[in-house]
Amino acid sequence: MAKDTLSVTDNRTGKHYEIPIEEGGVIRATALRQIKAADDDFGLMSYDPAFTNTASCRSRITYIDGDKGILRYRGYPIEELAEKSNYLETAYLIVKGELPDRGHYDRWENNIKIHTMVHENIKKFMEGYRYDAHPMGMLVGTVGALSTFYPDAKDIHNLESRRLQTRRLIGKIPTLAAFAYRHTKGLPYVYPDNELSYTGNLLSMLFKMTELRYKPNPVLERALEVLFILHADHEQNCSTNAMRSVGSSQPDPYATAAAAIAALYGPLHGGANEAAIRMLMDIGSVAAIPDMIKKVKNGDRRLMGFGHRVYKNYDPRAKILKEMAAQVFEVTGRNPLIDIAIELERIALQDDYFISHKLYPNVDFYSGIIYQAMGFPMDMFPVLFAIPRTSGWMAQWAEMVRDPEQKIARPRQVYIGEQLRRYSPLQSRPKPTQREDAVSEAI
Ligand code: ACO
């Protein structure tokens, strides 16, 4: 009869081991430790740089089937949420596990909105940033600084404290993002308008000028809701892994979220939408696409906004955004980069290199084009990603904190450096050798 075990024979010793297979296809890495060549041996380890085949947690939040192009939050398909939900309702679902009823939704919305203001000292703190500071750098610093404003947040094992910090951060992050934007423009900061929706208020804090009341365009307000729903969580991506890993040493969630934002900043993650737009601008015209494709195939360039660690099929979020772009352009006017993007996608998806590498557009391929059409400068794109991802980070962090199996994240290494050497005084060390060249290349 079939057994849920893996039989392993260690050919060094001839010993046989039975390793349990859990959850339909998972072995515990620590099960390898019993496999030893000698009694004083450490035991076998798995080596997995960049965690390409290692599950770091058991999670109930987001499900992805990368081969089929499926994304679900708490079981709900992303397509249904993007069509029918709004960001705050989706954030509730992600954080709490269920869709709210009317009463719970109203309370949640109110509880987030009462936290949209920030301490006046935060404003002064932000004024200290250089005039040309990148807003994502400002966000890393300012979210980290919230840690000093809310010392009660250290009480991470207290459910009520976790709830409060979650509402606070989801409430405040649009305000911090908007202040960062206004800072780069030299414009006065706009205070939150809690009569508006979550995204309407963000648009107001970003774009309000001298009018008494900012009236968000409903199409753009809804487009932002959809973009935020699509970006709310994505299981164990780089920034979520940072959130869990940093959070595992138990600092407060603001210091932890600052680390996640820093991880999101990079061009291979949340910075990819900015990089994708720069690439499309660089290509410049539909006629120049074949040349770009050639460079990518030669390994000289990467198609930004293409490829994904998990999706080996069309990213379902990119599909939704490609369709939504047309609605946005009806209000904003057409972003000419869309023609280059669509043609680039068409050519790439017929090309053997992209087919064999399973490279498809990811969410960042179209989000930047929409953000640009809506009037956002490119360096705000990753900030617009960080705002909705906050609900995902907080949900993943809380799940980690509650999980009795989790401990401080501390990977092992395979040491490949020098064996024991003895120190010699500076004056008696040999003259520069080849080894010193290696030293100068070390950093
Ligand atoms: N353009 C061209 N070739 C690519 C691309 C790309 N965008 N992405 C991967 N490849 C190729 C690699 O050259 C490699 O080819 P090889 O096996 O012949 O050497 C192969 O595909 C595998 O690439 P890896 O880098 O090993 O794949 P990995 O899973 O580590 O990377 C990543 C995933 C980082 C997203 C990568 O596809 C990439 O750099 N894409 C561009 C940046 C981007 O769009 N990032 C956004 C990701 S989505 C998000 O964060 C929301």
Side-chain angles (χ1 to χ4, degrees), residues 361-372:
N362 61 49
V363 66
D364 289 323
F365 194 60
Y366 288 107
S367 64
I369 298 174
I370 296 174
Y371 284 140
Q372 195 181 45

Side-chain angles (χ1 to χ4, degrees), residues 268-269 272 296 302-309 353 357 359 362-364 385:
L268 297 189
H269 188 14
V296 172
R302 231 162 220 237
L303 269 196
M304 300 314 283
F306 258 70
H308 198 275
R309 172 61 60 78
Y353 176 89
H357 285 78
L359 294 171
N362 61 49
V363 66
D364 289 323
F385 191 155

Side-chain angles (χ1 to χ4, degrees), residues 50 52 231 234 237-238 264 266-273 275-276 296-297 299 301-312 315 317 353-354 357-360 362-365 385 389:
T52 56
H231 284 88
H234 211 232
N237 55 83
C238 179
L264 188 70
L268 297 189
H269 188 14
N273 48 16
V296 172
K297 286 162 73 172
R301 290 288 299 262
R302 231 162 220 237
L303 269 196
M304 300 314 283
F306 258 70
H308 198 275
R309 172 61 60 78
V310 178
Y311 293 118
K312 300 303 167 196
D315 180 338
R317 301 167 300 173
Y353 176 89
F354 293 89
H357 285 78
K358 298 191 176 167
L359 294 171
Y360 295 85
N362 61 49
V363 66
D364 289 323
F365 194 60
F385 191 155
R389 184 55 61 89

